[in-house]
Amino acid sequence: TVIRDFTFSDAFPWPQAPDGNGPSLVLKNPSVANATDPYHNAPTNWRSSATVGGNSGSTDATTFTGNPSTDADSDGLNALLEYALGTSDANNPAGLNAWSLTPGPAGTYTFTYQRSIAADDLVRTVELSTDLIAWTNTGVIETSIANAGANETVTCTITPPVGATRVFVHVKVVKP
């Protein structure tokens, strides 16, 4: 009996780390009751496992607990954002909460940051703005590479709107 019939790939936009002897391909939020949600053919509904070889028969997903607005280590990042980035609100080792925005080819920018692989209970979206009022993810192409441990490096190619003289970028984190 066929339980699910879907097509997947080991090329972008699918997670690329589960292509060999490392992490497994893991469905985000597999316990959703509706048989079509999450939609198995969508690469955004899949991620790399947090551990090499995956977790057969169980999950490696984590769940945020605590006060999302707390900043126990006074580094300017609240507890929810620290959880999303895979860092700790208990301490702030130098350079751990680093991200970068650099000029790329043909008027694009490259934005890089780290995030927790297993934080399936969050939706993280990189958005851009030219005025700090209106934000959009249009023009943002995201790829990720699993790191050692339960984090991955996310690289976004950002194409600003034509005629934009400045670009602002943020990571929007939502707990649905």
Side-chain angles (χ1 to χ4, degrees), residues 117-137:
I117 292 173
D120 288 350
D121 57 333
L122 300 180
V123 175
R124 291 157 290 205
T125 309
V126 173
E127 296 179 327
L128 64 99
S129 175
T130 57
D131 60 8
L132 293 174
I133 297 170
W135 293 89
T136 181
N137 63 352

Side-chain angles (χ1 to χ4, degrees), residues 10-138:
D10 61 358
F12 178 79
W14 286 83
Q16 295 169 5
D19 183 18
N21 296 320
S24 296
L25 191 61
V26 176
L27 182 64
K28 295 178 186 177
N29 300 316
S31 61
V32 175
N34 182 340
T36 61
D37 187 12
Y39 181 58
H40 287 62
N41 285 325
T44 55
N45 288 333
W46 293 87
R47 64 171 173 83
S48 301
S49 63
T51 56
V52 172
N55 294 49
S56 297
S58 65
T59 183
D60 60 8
T62 57
T63 303
F64 178 78
T65 57
N67 181 341
S69 60
T70 299
D71 183 10
D73 60 3
S74 300
D75 63 357
L77 302 176
N78 66 38
L80 185 65
L81 186 55
E82 295 252 18
Y83 168 73
L85 298 175
T87 58
S88 171
D89 196 35
N91 58 24
N92 182 25
L96 191 58
N97 292 330
W99 47 79
S100 66
L101 179 65
T102 56
T108 64
Y109 293 89
T110 300
F111 176 68
T112 304
Y113 74 102
Q114 288 193 41
R115 69 178 174 202
S116 170
I117 292 173
D120 288 350
D121 57 333
L122 300 180
V123 175
R124 291 157 290 205
T125 309
V126 173
E127 296 179 327
L128 64 99
S129 175
T130 57
D131 60 8
L132 293 174
I133 297 170
W135 293 89
T136 181
N137 63 352
T138 301

